[in-house]
Amino acid sequence: DIFRVSNDAEEGCINVGRTGWHIDGTFQAKPFKYQTMHFHSVCEGGETWFMPLKEFYELQDEETRARWDKLWMVVGGEQYAHPLVYKHPTRGDTSMMFHCGPSFCSGWVEEETRYDYSTWIHPRILQAELGKRLDEAVDKIGIKMNWEEGDFAINDNLGNCHYAAPGTQTKKEKVGLRILHRTTVAGEEVPTKADGRSTLAM
């Protein structure tokens, strides 16, 4: 199916991708493998920001990497907990799995204590940390993609997180009409860490 996104509610879904940096499909046990983006119309300031997650992880200090490696993201419906840090299923290097949107994460846990709600980290604590660090890093190692009409992109959804810049939702009367057709390719594997531990059933 084609998901039609716009800055005009009469043309498509609005405010898509604006809740925070994210990977698409974290609500599933097997998040989407790829996504395609086809821009039928573009607006001024309607950038999509991309961050390569291997490089983002490696940019952090050793203490932060060690702390993140212990954490799992409980998805919004609390059916699953994905490892925050895991092995990219195709490349075999380090990647990350998260969503910084408020409704997409119920909390952050360590595996051994995931059933003890008193140990859960409030979702916004780590979402805010990730968001801040990603915002700081995007100009160093990320891409702020300024689209042109007709552009088509295929994104490694498991290797890059992304974020819709604020200008994507400016009124069309000010910046022009934005229309994006997005499709996704189903995931084939659950996120699995280098030591073999994978997405947990809650």
Side-chain angles (χ1 to χ4, degrees):
D1 293 342
I2 294 175
F3 184 39
R4 187 174 169 96
V5 177
S6 184
N7 58 346
D8 180 351
E10 295 184 357
E11 290 286 350
C13 295
I14 59 173
N15 294 316
V16 175
R18 288 288 302 123
T19 56
W21 289 91
H22 61 282
I23 305 298
D24 281 347
T26 55
F27 60 92
Q28 303 176 116
K30 300 176 181 179
F32 300 128
K33 190 174 183 179
Y34 298 104
Q35 63 187 191
T36 69
M37 300 179 178
H38 185 197
F39 285 84
H40 291 255
S41 182
V42 297
C43 68
E44 183 181 350
E47 300 172 339
T48 306
W49 299 355
F50 294 95
M51 179 66 69
L53 290 166
K54 171 183 178 290
E55 289 79 2
F56 174 67
Y57 176 77
E58 291 175 347
L59 189 65
Q60 312 309 313
D61 59 68
E62 185 175 343
E63 181 181 349
T64 299
R65 293 198 303 267
R67 175 167 53 87
W68 286 358
D69 194 50
K70 297 177 182 177
L71 294 177
W72 303 67
M73 184 191 80
V74 182
V75 302
E78 298 187 16
Q79 306 100 317
Y80 311 109
H82 293 305
L84 173 57
V85 178
Y86 75 108
K87 185 174 69 172
H88 190 285
T90 304
R91 300 192 313 242
D93 54 21
T94 302
S95 194
M96 300 180 69
M97 179 64 57
F98 58 83
H99 201 304
C100 291
S103 63
F104 293 90
C105 175
S106 295
W108 304 87
V109 298
E110 294 190 18
E111 181 179 8
E112 297 78 7
T113 58
R114 66 186 185 276
Y115 297 122
D116 181 356
Y117 282 88
S118 68
T119 66
W120 284 33
I121 300 172
H122 191 278
R124 287 307 300 158
I125 292 176
L126 203 68
Q127 287 173 319
E129 178 188 354
L130 288 167
K132 181 176 184 294
R133 290 176 183 260
L134 287 159
D135 287 346
E136 292 171 347
V138 67
D139 287 322
K140 299 176 184 176
I141 60 172
I143 296 174
K144 292 182 174 179
M145 188 64 189
N146 189 17
W147 305 101
E148 295 182 1
E149 185 173 324
D151 278 352
F152 179 84
I154 301 174
N155 177 47
D156 175 6
N157 184 58
L158 301 178
N160 305 304
C161 66
H162 61 284
Y163 174 65
T168 59
Q169 291 304 302
T170 304
K171 297 292 185 182
K172 68 175 183 178
E173 292 78 11
K174 291 185 177 180
V175 297
L177 178 65
R178 182 178 191 259
I179 298 177
L180 158 64
H181 284 183
R182 192 207 73 179
T183 64
T184 51
V185 176
E188 298 175 344
E189 299 182 39
V190 297
T192 301
K193 296 177 74 65
D195 63 8
R197 292 177 296 156
S198 60
T199 292
L200 307 169
M202 296 296 290

